[in-house]
């Protein structure tokens, strides 16, 4: 049934200003509004942040997430956008800023740079960022394309933590060398305010958000590549094939339209949500092996979870800091938060599945991003523009 | 009143016959209006507290408007059930009410009228942070006779609408979701003023409470006790103004110390 879905197409990157996040299908929007009202009247403070069953039980079918195949469509889009520019000896713009959606756990731009053997500028350590040395200089001279994969690694939201990024941007402003700068959308929003990044650098590009057709094709393609032959993906709600198309070639189910809206068109967020929605029945009879020897994976409905808007200020401040910086150690986190007394909250967020931890550094998990963004928006925090 | 009405031909024409007045309907209208107002008065602030931040001011502001509209509707509904509405009757009633009010309830009625005027002039709205006289706080509710403020110290103050006539009213946000916060520093000269301004600006820029859409101003003036620096910035949520000013103050002091400058206080300067 997956084979009826055409393979994905590549889309060149688009200006950040033109980003149009996929809209909710009417029925899903109504359901979400009803759920939020119910949450409002029943009191959300008693509930866990995310239901535990959602976090503990997922199919390990596509566990090989580190393979480049996962990023392949996005790398192809980077190639399509940057290939001719990178080989142009006199480009109109030497600098190409790319604003990437948040929760990029796979460091996409570094992968792209490695694949093309471009020079990657190593960021300073976070401790170095806090050393106040006004006469800092950077030597960015050289040949070929220079890649700065994560601009968010060049500052710390601390009163002494902006010097290095100012120096970097000043140096870049006069640079006559191909340079690709990646920055996550939350850091970009902050840097535009803090150091006028939008005035110093040219207009940034970003991925075109994954809408329903694109998302369906992309996930079908991954399923074709990585899943065993003969697996069917059926909605647990009605048993229908989630990839099925009608006679007009349109999807029969609204699942991917809802997924596109919930993930805000961010590929990796959608992928994580998709992975979490796949369940395997415990009973072999429910796996439906009898019919054409196909195994069934059940796709459960995407549920709406939200952070408490008014009483979760500590949690929200931590999540905002992590989104802006990409990842932070516990000590760095303490240095960018306003008040003392946050020691316990990041453990609670980690336990609840909102943040992950790798090599002693905390980061917002892609699967929790929709809930995190909703929580921050509800509480009035400044948001990114993706 | 009914005896007087029956003894005067004009009054007997003005008031309907007792038998014609449906007291049950009037009671139901009064009860229904009171219930509706009470429900809205409780429900909207409750929802505003828990709902999206951007909806809070709208929801809070809708309470007095609903109450005014419901009261007006009830009066318009009830009056023709009791009084034969003609221009003569209206003038007679208006005159009688005016005299009674003038003597007995002058201040109360003045507050009521001020409350109605405030609905249109909007010197305050529910959710605004206002200073009336020496009282500063968030407008928690706007009543017909008085408003209630909640101060930064969590005191609740009831301010009669009457104050509208003869007091200066400073509205810090005027219906917006944020307001300017100021952290004051007094520094002993000499110090590097340009570096100080830049450092304090970075203090505001790196505050977690900062509203990105509003400007940051570092205002410097020479005062008798030293150089007065005001760090002016906006939090993204005006309720966080206490946290925001504390954050600016604490980290501003660190920045001042890091630049080798010294804060002064008035007694020290005087000494």
């Amino acid at each position: 049934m997956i084979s009826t879905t055409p393979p994905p197409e590549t889309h060149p990157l688009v200006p950040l200003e033109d980003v149009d996040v996929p809209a909710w299908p009417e029925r899903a929007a109504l359901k979400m509004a009803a759920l939020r009202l119910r949450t409002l009247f029943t009191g959300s403070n008693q509930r866990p942040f995310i239901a535990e069953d959602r976090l503990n039980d997922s199919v390990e079918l596509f566990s090989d997430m580190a393979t480049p195949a996962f990023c392949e469509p996005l790398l192809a889009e980077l190639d399509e956008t940057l290939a001719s520019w990178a080989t142009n000896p006199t480009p109109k713009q030497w600098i190409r800023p790319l604003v990437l959606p948040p929760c990029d756990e796979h460091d996409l731009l570094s992968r792209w740079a490695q694949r093309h053997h471009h020079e990657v500028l190593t960021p300073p350590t976070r401790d170095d960022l806090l050393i106040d040395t006004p006469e800092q200089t950077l030597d960015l001279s050289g040949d070929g394309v220079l890649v700065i994969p994560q601009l968010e690694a060049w500052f710390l939201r601390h009163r002494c933590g902006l010097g290095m990024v100012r120096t970097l941007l000043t140096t870049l402003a006069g640079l006559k060398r191909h340079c690709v700068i990646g920055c996550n959308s939350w850091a970009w929003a902050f840097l535009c305010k803090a150091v006028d990044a939008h005035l110093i650098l040219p207009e940034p590009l970003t991925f075109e958000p994954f809408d329903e057709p694109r998302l369906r094709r992309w996930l079908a393609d991954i399923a074709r590549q990585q899943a065993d032959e003969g697996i069917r993906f059926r909605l647990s709600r009605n048993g229908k094939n989630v990839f099925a198309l009608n006679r007009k070639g349109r999807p029969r189910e609204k699942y991917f339209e809802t997924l596109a809206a919930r993930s805000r068109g961010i590929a990796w967020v959608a992928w994580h949500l998709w992975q979490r929605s796949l369940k395997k029945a415990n009973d072999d009879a429910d796996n439906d092996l009898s019919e054409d020897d196909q195994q069934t994976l059940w796709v459960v409905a995407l549920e709406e979870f939200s952070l408490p808007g008014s009483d979760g200020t500590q949690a929200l401040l931590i999540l905002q800091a992590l989104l802006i910086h990409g990842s932070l150690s516990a000590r760095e986190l303490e240095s960018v938060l306003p008040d003392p007394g946050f020691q316990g909250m990041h453990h609670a967020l980690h336990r609840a599945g909102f943040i992950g931890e790798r090599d002693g550094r905390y980061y917002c998990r892609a699967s929790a991003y929709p809930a995190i963004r909703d929580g921050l928006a509800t509480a009035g925090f400044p948001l990114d523009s993706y | 009143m009914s005896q007087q009405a029956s003894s005067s031909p004009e009054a007997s024409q003005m008031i309907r016959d007792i038998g014609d007045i449906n007291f049950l309907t009037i009671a139901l209208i009064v009860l229904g209006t009171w219930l509706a107002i009470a429900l809205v008065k409780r429900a909207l602030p409750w929802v505003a507290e828990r709902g999206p931040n951007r909806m809070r001011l709208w929801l809070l502001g809708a309470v007095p408007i609903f109450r005014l509209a419901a009261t007006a509707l009830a009066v318009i509904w009830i009056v023709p059930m009791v009084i034969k509405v003609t221009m003569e009757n209206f003038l007679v009633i208006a005159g009688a009410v005016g005299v009674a009010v003038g003597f007995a309830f002058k201040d109360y009625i003045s507050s009521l009228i001020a409350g109605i005027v405030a609905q249109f002039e909007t010197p305050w709205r529910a959710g605004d942070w206002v200073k009336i006289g020496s009282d500063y706080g968030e407008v928690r509710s706007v009543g017909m006779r008085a408003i209630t403020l909640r101060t930064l110290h969590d005191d609740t103050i009831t301010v009669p609408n009457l104050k509208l006539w003869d007091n200066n009213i400073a509205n810090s946000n005027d219906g917006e979701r944020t307001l300017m916060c100021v952290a004051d520093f007094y520094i002993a000269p000499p110090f590097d003023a340009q570096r100080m301004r830049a450092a304090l600006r970075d203090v505001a820029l790196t505050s977690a409470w900062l509203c990105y859409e509003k400007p940051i101003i570092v205002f410097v003036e020479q005062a008798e006790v030293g150089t007065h620096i005001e760090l002016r910035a906006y939090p993204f949520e005006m309720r966080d103004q206490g946290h925001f000013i504390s954050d600016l103050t604490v980290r501003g002091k660190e920045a001042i110390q890091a630049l080798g400058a010294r804060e002064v206080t008035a007694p020290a300067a005087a000494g």
Side-chain angles (χ1 to χ4, degrees):
Chain A
M1 294 296 264
I2 298 173
S3 60
T4 60
T5 302
E9 299 166 349
T10 54
H11 294 242
L13 273 59
V14 296
L16 184 63
E17 283 183 359
D18 297 348
V19 163
D20 195 8
V21 174
W24 285 88
E26 295 81 1
R27 198 171 163 185
L30 281 174
K31 274 178 75 177
M32 188 178 70
L35 186 69
R36 282 183 176 172
L37 270 179
R38 197 178 71 193
T39 307
L40 185 68
F41 286 104
T42 54
S44 61
N45 292 342
Q46 303 303 316
R47 296 186 308 116
F49 286 155
I50 288 183
E52 285 185 12
D53 60 341
R54 185 169 175 262
L55 297 170
N56 295 335
D57 181 19
S58 64
V59 173
E60 296 295 330
L61 185 67
F62 309 124
S63 58
D64 195 12
M65 284 285 293
T67 59
F70 167 70
C71 304
E72 203 57 45
L74 301 175
L75 292 170
E77 291 181 8
L78 284 174
D79 281 340
E80 187 174 333
T81 306
L82 300 175
S84 60
W85 165 83
T87 53
N88 185 352
T90 53
K92 198 174 168 186
Q93 290 175 343
W94 289 99
I95 312 288
R96 274 294 165 101
L98 307 179
V99 171
L100 303 170
C103 305
D104 172 18
E105 296 170 23
H106 307 280
D107 200 1
L108 195 72
L109 208 53
S110 291
R111 268 180 204 284
W112 178 80
Q114 279 170 11
R115 175 180 282 198
H116 296 281
H117 307 290
H118 294 317
E119 183 186 347
V120 175
L121 191 64
T122 309
T125 65
R126 286 254 155 83
D127 285 339
D128 289 344
L129 293 176
L130 296 181
I131 298 169
D132 191 16
T133 49
E135 277 81 35
Q136 296 170 85
T137 54
L138 283 168
D139 180 14
L140 304 181
S141 59
D143 296 323
V145 178
L146 178 69
V147 180
I148 301 170
Q150 294 175 331
L151 195 58
E152 57 268 26
W154 288 78
F155 71 91
L156 208 54
R157 195 184 59 182
H158 183 276
R159 62 180 180 81
C160 302
L162 298 176
M164 184 63 88
V165 77
R166 282 198 178 107
T167 305
L168 177 67
L169 291 178
T170 309
T171 311
L172 286 169
L175 188 69
K176 294 253 170 101
R177 179 185 178 186
H178 293 88
C179 182
V180 180
I181 304 168
C183 182
N184 93 50
S185 53
W186 285 79
W188 180 256
F190 174 72
L191 288 174
C192 288
K193 171 70 180 176
V195 294
D196 291 332
H198 60 305
L199 301 179
I200 298 169
L201 299 176
E203 186 184 16
L205 300 174
T206 190
F207 292 112
E208 189 177 306
F210 278 64
D211 56 6
E212 183 271 326
R214 204 170 162 213
L215 194 58
R216 183 166 44 80
R217 289 176 183 186
W218 181 58
L219 290 176
D221 198 50
I222 292 177
R224 263 194 297 262
Q225 287 176 30
Q226 299 199 340
D228 295 335
E229 285 297 322
I231 285 187
R232 293 189 307 174
F233 296 84
R234 296 169 64 182
L235 285 171
S236 61
R237 178 167 43 88
N238 55 15
K240 291 183 177 171
N241 179 8
V242 75
F243 287 107
L245 301 173
N246 63 19
R247 288 178 184 172
K248 293 178 181 174
R250 291 183 182 161
R252 286 184 184 157
E253 302 297 325
K254 295 277 188 188
Y255 177 84
F256 289 109
E257 199 176 343
T258 307
L259 181 60
R262 176 147 304 153
S263 62
R264 299 185 64 79
I266 302 170
W268 42 82
V269 172
W271 197 94
H272 280 277
L273 292 176
W274 162 247
Q275 193 192 33
R276 288 203 176 279
S277 70
L278 297 180
K279 305 285 178 187
K280 209 172 184 177
N282 292 327
D283 187 356
D284 280 347
D286 289 339
N287 283 323
D288 211 2
L289 289 164
S290 57
E291 194 181 328
D292 303 329
D293 289 327
Q294 287 189 324
Q295 190 188 13
T296 294
L297 284 182
W298 296 99
V299 183
V300 299
L302 293 164
E303 291 182 40
E304 173 70 11
F305 296 95
S306 57
L307 281 163
S310 54
D311 297 329
T313 310
Q314 274 197 0
L316 292 170
L317 285 167
I318 289 174
L319 295 167
Q320 186 209 23
L322 291 178
L323 284 173
I324 288 175
H325 292 93
S327 67
L328 290 168
S329 68
R331 195 168 57 84
E332 291 161 0
L333 193 56
E334 207 171 309
S335 70
V336 300
L337 290 174
D339 294 316
F342 286 87
Q343 288 86 356
M345 182 55 81
H346 65 276
H347 294 296
L349 287 169
H350 186 227
R351 222 174 23 253
F354 277 91
I355 64 178
E357 190 255 333
R358 191 169 43 229
D359 302 330
R361 306 182 71 77
Y362 293 97
Y363 60 92
C364 288
R365 292 176 65 169
S367 56
Y369 179 67
I372 293 171
R373 195 180 197 282
D374 278 354
L376 291 169
T378 301
F381 277 73
L383 302 172
D384 66 341
S385 55
Y386 194 88
Chain B
M1 185 71 183
S2 62
Q3 285 177 347
Q4 286 174 357
S6 60
S7 63
S8 160
E10 293 82 4
S12 66
Q13 285 172 2
M14 189 165 65
I15 307 288
R16 290 185 188 280
D17 292 337
I18 291 288
D20 292 342
I21 299 173
N22 191 337
F23 287 102
L24 181 64
T25 308
I26 292 171
L28 285 174
I29 292 169
V30 171
L31 185 67
T33 307
W34 178 77
L35 276 175
I37 290 173
L39 183 70
V40 168
K41 198 174 162 186
R42 285 172 184 273
L44 286 190
W46 191 86
V47 174
E49 286 296 320
R50 291 158 179 79
N53 174 279
R54 59 187 174 278
M55 295 291 293
R56 190 161 59 85
L57 294 184
W58 286 95
L59 289 170
L60 290 173
V63 175
I65 292 169
F66 176 83
R67 185 169 42 206
L68 189 62
T71 308
L73 185 69
V75 169
I76 291 168
W77 199 349
I78 290 171
V79 164
M81 297 169 75
V82 179
I83 296 166
K84 291 174 183 172
V85 181
T86 63
M87 180 55 76
E88 290 82 4
N89 289 349
F90 173 76
L91 291 174
V92 169
I93 291 170
V97 169
V99 170
V101 162
F103 285 104
F105 300 108
K106 182 168 69 69
D107 286 349
Y108 189 83
I109 294 297
S110 183
S111 269
L112 287 180
I113 293 169
I116 294 168
V117 170
Q119 302 297 322
F120 297 99
E121 282 192 1
T122 58
W124 54 63
R125 304 168 194 78
D128 282 358
W129 282 80
V130 296
K131 187 171 185 186
I132 303 172
S134 59
D135 300 318
Y136 178 68
E138 181 187 13
V139 180
R140 299 293 294 172
S141 68
V142 178
M144 293 302 288
R145 192 198 68 80
I147 62 171
T148 53
L149 303 182
R150 181 170 291 169
T151 68
L152 286 169
H153 300 291
D154 212 22
D155 295 330
T156 299
I157 299 173
T158 304
V159 182
N161 290 330
L162 196 61
K163 294 267 186 183
L164 177 69
W165 302 134
D166 55 6
N167 270 267
N168 292 341
I169 296 155
N171 192 322
S172 298
N173 62 302
D174 199 22
E176 301 243 344
R177 281 171 51 199
T178 187
L179 46 73
M180 181 189 278
C181 292
V182 183
D184 290 288
F185 304 97
Y186 289 88
I187 303 174
F191 62 93
D192 187 334
Q194 289 298 353
R195 284 188 70 197
M196 184 64 73
R197 288 185 78 182
L200 289 176
R201 189 177 151 74
D202 278 2
V203 165
L205 280 171
T206 52
S207 173
W209 309 105
L210 181 72
C211 172
Y212 292 179
E213 292 155 15
K214 296 284 187 177
I216 295 167
I217 299 162
V218 184
F219 179 78
V220 183
E221 68 173 352
Q222 204 55 42
E224 285 185 16
V225 294
T227 305
H228 178 205
I229 300 184
E230 285 184 354
L231 179 53
R232 301 173 183 171
Y234 295 77
F236 61 78
E237 164 56 53
M238 56 194 168
R239 283 186 179 182
D240 295 327
Q241 58 185 289
H243 293 295
F244 186 51
I245 293 172
S246 302
D247 186 43
L248 296 181
T249 305
V250 169
R251 294 188 309 113
K253 284 173 176 288
E254 287 174 5
I256 290 166
Q257 282 184 4
L259 287 176
R262 185 174 61 86
E263 287 189 83
V264 293
T265 55

